[in-house]
Each structure stands twice: as structure tokens, then as C-alpha cells.
Amino acid sequence: MNRNPYSRYYVPGPSPWPFFVAISANGMAVGLILWLHRTPSFLLMGMSLVCMLLSTFSWWRDLIREGDIGFHTRFVIKSFRDGFALFILSEVMFFFTFFWTFFHNALSPSCELGMRWPPPGIRTPNPSSTSLFETGLLISSGLFVTQAHKSMRLKDYDVGPFIGLVVTIVCGTVFFLVQLREYYWNSYTIADSVYGSVFYLLTGFHGMHVVVGTIWLMVSLVRLWRGEFSSQRHFGFEACIWYWHFVDVVWVALWCLVYVWFGGWLYMWWFNMWDGDVYTFKYPDAKPSWYAYIQEEHAPSWYKVPDHLKA
């Protein structure tokens, strides 16, 4: 790393870590493709994963050292802010593609889906059960991590930031474990129509972001313990908070749209509140809709499982 006294920025010296990260990422991608083709190479995946962890750890260590030496001027920090803001924007567009797919199928279901959404045979999760608990966890974690940031800006390095970070890490960990439990008990898989595919892609990628955010919070907690943050210089922690709030917002949108609205439960509540009179006529006079497949007593005879096939 060479600092030019006549420049606001500095040019990092030659580093082997980008090369090793690229090689390990390529190895993990090849290992994933082999696993999908039922010829897994655990040696390749293991070596690539270890190389990735060691390389990223060394790369981040060098980056932290640059800041401790004094190379991260306010102009460098501004470039970090701009770059991370663009990264958040790219993440927004990443989830936007999946939401677009979800809306494309939910607002105009094709004949292959029975012209109904959710498709017939899909028993969607109850939004007032596990997912509501997960929503409360993430909203609470956002409040605690914000309080930790506020405490740090007030130069409280002993109690406030530690409590906020620890509680946020616990909330993120519990969220991920509860999501795994929800996957285990769901009555459909990723192969069950486009609903299952989009549902597990949206919630699964969000779960991966929760894991990454939780690890980042753990790293920030260690750095806080070592005294590497101050009230004026803590962009690493601040970027972590931005990322965590992004994860919170995505989940709230996901819960409202996927679980409540297009999961069928909002329409079911509206249907029950008006006692079926949602089209200015009573339910017995209405044509069959997807709601008929939620209530077993309203399902047609061809949809029900014959008695001799029931266990």
C-alpha cells in the first residue's frame, strides 16, 4: 500500500487475496454443479470453502489494518459509502426479480395453475403463526441495532452497543432456526408448482442474507470488544446496520405480500367477514373459486381424496 501525499486516496499494494478468492469461488461453483448432477466432490467443495474463508479473513484483516494505520481518510470513507450504497441497490434489484416473478404469476395465474392463486392443492402457511413471530424478531432486532448505533455515537462503548449487538445476533440466529423449522413442516416443496419455487427462492435467499448479516454482526461485536470503533470512525459497523435494515425491510415486504396477501389469507378474512357476500351475492350462488379448495366442506367431489385411499 502506497500513500501519495499529494492525493486524497491511496493505492493498495499487490495482494494475493483477490486471486485466491476468485479461485475458491470458482471451485465452489464447480462443486455445486457436480453436486446437482449427482456426482458430488466433497474434497473440492471442502478445499474451496477453506480457501475462501482463509482468504476473506486475511483480506479483511489487511483492510482493517489500513484503517488503523490512517489510510482511510474521509474521502476514502466516502468512496466506501458510495460503493456500499450501490451494493444495497444491486441487492434490491436482485430481490425485485423474484418479486416480479411472484406478481406475474399471482396477479394473472395461467391455466396450468387452474386460473387460481394459490394454485389448487397448495396449503399456504398461516401468516399469523410462525412467520408473524419471525417478523417480530426482525423488527425487534432492527430496533436494538439502531439503539446500539445511537449509543456508540453518544460515546457509550461499554453497555449500549454490546447489549444491542448481542440481542440482534440472538434474534438473527433464532430467526434462521425458526425458518428451518418452518421449511421442515411445510406441506409443499420447491418442486410444487411455481408457488413453491418462488416461495422457497424468496424466503431461502432472504435466509441466506440473514446468515450473512448475523456473521457480520458477530464480527462487529468482536471489533467493538477490541476497541476498533469510535463515535466518529465506525463505518464498518454503520454499513452492517444498513445491511441489516435492508434485510428487515425485505422480510416485512415478503411477509405482507407472500404470506398475507397472495397467500390467500387476506381474501379468506375478507370472505369470512362478509359471510361470502363479497360479490353482492351469497356463496352458494357464486361460481367455484380457489377459496373452495381451502374449505374442505366446499370442495367438489372430484377434488376430495376418496375414502378408500385414505390411510
Side-chain angles (χ1 to χ4, degrees), residues 185-224:
W185 289 106
N186 272 350
S187 60
Y188 54 92
T189 67
I190 195 173
D192 288 328
S193 82
V194 68
Y195 181 90
S197 300
V198 179
F199 175 85
Y200 282 104
L201 282 174
L202 271 171
T203 57
F205 275 117
H206 179 269
M208 292 177 58
H209 283 72
V210 170
V211 172
V212 173
T214 304
I215 295 175
W216 196 349
L217 289 169
M218 293 178 180
V219 174
S220 299
L221 181 62
V222 173
R223 295 188 62 190
L224 179 64

Side-chain angles (χ1 to χ4, degrees), residues 84-293:
F84 193 76
L86 292 176
F87 170 74
I88 294 293
L89 178 61
S90 69
E91 291 288 285
V92 171
M93 301 309 297
F94 175 80
F95 279 98
F96 177 79
T97 58
F98 293 111
F99 277 108
W100 183 289
T101 305
F102 186 83
F103 276 108
H104 176 78
N105 291 278
L107 294 175
S108 181
S110 62
C111 58
E112 290 83 359
L113 300 176
M115 305 295 292
R116 300 177 180 91
W117 191 268
I122 297 292
R123 188 179 64 186
T124 58
N126 191 339
S128 61
S129 180
T130 303
S131 59
L132 182 60
F133 175 69
E134 294 173 320
T135 305
L137 279 177
L138 283 190
I139 293 177
S140 302
S141 67
L143 296 176
F144 278 105
V145 78
T146 302
Q147 180 61 34
H149 186 215
K150 181 179 179 180
S151 299
M152 181 175 295
R153 293 181 64 89
L154 295 175
K155 299 182 180 181
D156 175 15
Y157 305 125
D158 298 326
V159 180
F162 283 100
I163 295 178
L165 280 178
V166 169
V167 175
T168 306
I169 291 171
V170 172
C171 289
T173 305
V174 173
F175 175 91
F176 181 70
L177 295 177
V178 172
Q179 189 176 49
L180 292 180
R181 179 185 179 275
E182 181 187 18
Y183 284 176
Y184 180 80
W185 289 106
N186 272 350
S187 60
Y188 54 92
T189 67
I190 195 173
D192 288 328
S193 82
V194 68
Y195 181 90
S197 300
V198 179
F199 175 85
Y200 282 104
L201 282 174
L202 271 171
T203 57
F205 275 117
H206 179 269
M208 292 177 58
H209 283 72
V210 170
V211 172
V212 173
T214 304
I215 295 175
W216 196 349
L217 289 169
M218 293 178 180
V219 174
S220 299
L221 181 62
V222 173
R223 295 188 62 190
L224 179 64
W225 180 268
R226 297 181 57 182
E228 296 180 3
F229 293 139
S230 67
S231 59
Q232 300 297 325
R233 299 184 63 88
H234 56 268
F235 175 72
F237 180 52
E238 190 173 2
C240 178
I241 296 175
W242 292 1
Y243 185 85
W244 193 256
H245 284 320
F246 163 76
V247 171
D248 292 346
V249 172
V250 170
W251 176 258
V252 172
L254 196 153
W255 179 74
C256 294
L257 298 175
V258 177
Y259 283 89
V260 179
W261 185 7
F262 290 104
W265 296 90
L266 182 62
Y267 180 81
M268 182 188 296
W269 170 81
W270 185 258
F271 191 97
N272 292 331
M273 188 180 73
W274 291 99
D275 194 23
D277 190 13
V278 293
Y279 299 111
T280 68
F281 49 73
K282 295 298 181 180
Y283 182 83
D285 301 326
K287 295 181 179 180
S289 65
W290 67 266
Y291 180 75
Y293 305 107

Side-chain angles (χ1 to χ4, degrees), residues 17-84:
W17 311 128
F19 174 77
F20 285 117
V21 168
I23 293 297
S24 57
N26 181 73
M28 294 178 66
V30 172
L32 176 62
I33 294 174
L34 292 176
W35 177 69
L36 293 175
H37 285 80
R38 300 181 185 276
T39 57
S41 175
F42 297 105
L43 179 61
L44 176 61
M45 286 291 292
M47 292 179 60
S48 301
L49 180 60
V50 172
C51 182
M52 172 69 77
L53 294 176
L54 293 177
S55 301
T56 51
F57 175 81
S58 301
W59 198 350
W60 294 336
R61 178 202 59 190
D62 293 346
L63 185 64
I64 293 173
R65 286 177 177 176
E66 292 172 1
D68 293 339
I69 294 174
F71 287 164
H72 291 174
T73 63
R74 61 189 181 94
F75 302 102
V76 176
I77 295 297
K78 182 180 182 303
S79 66
F80 288 166
R81 292 178 182 272
D82 296 341
F84 193 76

Side-chain angles (χ1 to χ4, degrees), residues 3-9:
R3 176 71 185 273
N4 186 346
Y6 301 102
S7 175
R8 298 173 175 175
Y9 301 94

